[in-house]
Every structure is written in C-alpha cells, then in structure tokens.
Amino acid sequence: MTKRVIVMNFEMESLAYQGFSELKRLAATGQVKGEQMAVVTHSNDGQHKFKIEDFVDFTGSNKTSTGGLIGMLVGILVGPLTMLLGWVGGSMIGATQDAREIKNARNIFEFLVSDIAEGQTGLILIAEEEDNRPINEIIINQLRGGISRFDYQEVEEEIKKAQQVEKDTKNNAQQAWQKQHDNTNGETDSSNASAKD
C-alpha cells in the first residue's frame, strides 16, 4: 500500500465540496484509508494566497488544519517563497513542450499553484492507496475533476527543503539589513566627526 498526497481540482467550487463529502463517505466505509483531507482555495486577487476552507483528520488524533503535512504545504504556499522562486509562473511554461514533461519537471508547490488555479477550489488528500479506482470513480467519472498523485515521502522532502530555504532566506535578509544599517551608521558617524572638525 502506497501513501500518497492526492491533489484534485474542479471546474466549480461546489464540486470540490461535493468531492470532500463523497471521500469522507468512502473513508467511513473503509474504501479509502485516509489520514487528512482539506478543501483549499486559491485567491483570485493577484496575491496567490492559499487557504484551508474545510479540514478533516481521519486518524482520530484531532490534528488541526495547521498540523500535519497539509498545513505545512499550504503554509509554504502563503509564504514569500512562492513569489521569490517564481512558482506562480508554473502554468506559463511554453505550450510547445510536452505537457507530461512539464508536469514532471514541476515540484509540488508549482503544481498546486497552477492546477488549483486562481479563483479555484480543490482538495488535498493524504491516503494510503492499494486501489485507486474508488477515488477515480467519484472525482473523475462523477464530478469530472482532475487527479494527480504524489509520493508522500517525496512531498515531505520538498517541504523540508522549502522550510530550510525560507529559514536561510530570513537569516540572510536579517544579516543584509544589519550590514546596511551598520554602514549607514558608520557614514553618519563620519559625517558628525567631520562637522565637529
């Protein structure tokens, strides 16, 4: 059984909520072994903000939407890296290239930003899958949505890398600010000394 991060996108917001309900039903009947699931919206105000609208923890540990992998994933998407690394341009890659090749080249963050497009609502599910047919039947056949599956461990690694880059970027920014501040103070001190002479 493979643990996956399953991303689903839909034409209409209502279909995402319907999918959320249907997948909860599958989990209740044991057809899906889910861990966490969230309804996620992508703002259409040009800010590319992601927000968890609804959340369920199937494990009974009562994690909040900020706890666990989905919370960390969305947390990075609302941070500065999304803009700094140009992930918002993932959907703008030249249409002349093979679509599958482009999809494989993108990381999970670029994928989410482009596949749950601005103004759209999607689902993120963490589940162990032995048979993908129950989910495919509801999402693809009934709700006409799209599904992409990612290896859980690979997504975990991407999150760790992103968190480290965020930490390094913050530290570098603080050092650069301090250096600029020190230089400015040095110039001010020199000016004051000259004025006294």
Side-chain angles (χ1 to χ4, degrees):
M1 203 174 280
T2 307
K3 192 172 181 179
R4 293 190 173 110
V5 177
I6 304 167
V7 180
M8 295 152 273
N9 56 1
F10 305 89
E11 288 297 319
M12 294 185 296
E13 182 181 23
S14 60
L15 294 175
Y17 282 97
Q18 191 176 338
F20 186 74
S21 296
E22 291 290 340
L23 293 181
K24 279 203 293 187
R25 184 181 56 78
L26 284 186
T29 59
Q31 294 178 71
V32 169
K33 192 175 179 185
E35 189 172 294
Q36 291 183 342
M37 181 170 59
V39 176
V40 178
T41 57
H42 182 174
S43 69
N44 61 355
D45 56 5
Q47 298 296 309
H48 291 283
K49 293 297 182 188
F50 278 75
K51 185 180 176 187
I52 294 174
E53 300 292 349
D54 207 344
F55 178 84
V56 62
D57 179 358
F58 296 111
T59 65
S61 59
N62 290 324
K63 284 184 181 172
T64 64
S65 60
T66 54
L69 189 122
I70 292 177
M72 288 189 285
L73 195 57
V74 173
I76 288 164
L77 286 172
V78 299
L81 278 189
T82 304
M83 292 300 217
L84 283 173
L85 298 182
W87 291 340
V88 294
S91 59
M92 304 302 287
I93 298 171
T96 55
Q97 295 181 38
D98 178 70
R100 183 170 294 159
E101 186 179 299
I102 294 168
K103 185 182 285 188
N104 291 342
R106 291 183 295 169
N107 62 40
I108 181 74
F109 307 109
E110 292 169 313
F111 184 87
L112 282 167
V113 169
S114 62
D115 275 50
I116 300 177
E118 282 187 276
Q120 288 191 334
T121 302
L123 291 176
I124 301 174
L125 169 67
I126 296 172
E128 290 185 4
E129 272 193 315
E130 194 168 337
D131 182 356
N132 63 16
R133 287 175 295 181
I135 293 176
N136 288 356
E137 172 59 31
I138 288 171
I139 303 303
I140 298 172
N141 298 339
Q142 293 178 30
L143 302 178
R144 303 288 177 222
I147 299 180
S148 295
R149 291 171 166 89
F150 296 86
D151 180 81
Y152 181 88
Q153 286 185 319
E154 287 178 12
V155 173
E156 255 190 335
E157 284 302 314
E158 287 286 345
I159 288 171
K160 283 178 189 171
K161 286 176 194 171
Q163 287 173 330
Q164 186 59 50
V165 170
E166 277 189 337
K167 185 178 175 185
D168 293 346
T169 303
K170 185 179 178 183
N171 290 340
N172 290 340
Q174 286 173 335
Q175 287 170 11
W177 174 259
Q178 190 60 50
K179 188 176 179 183
Q180 284 293 328
H181 195 263
D182 291 345
N183 288 344
T184 305
N185 283 346
E187 288 168 12
T188 306
D189 292 343
S190 300
S191 301
N192 289 341
S194 299
K196 286 175 184 174
D197 293 341

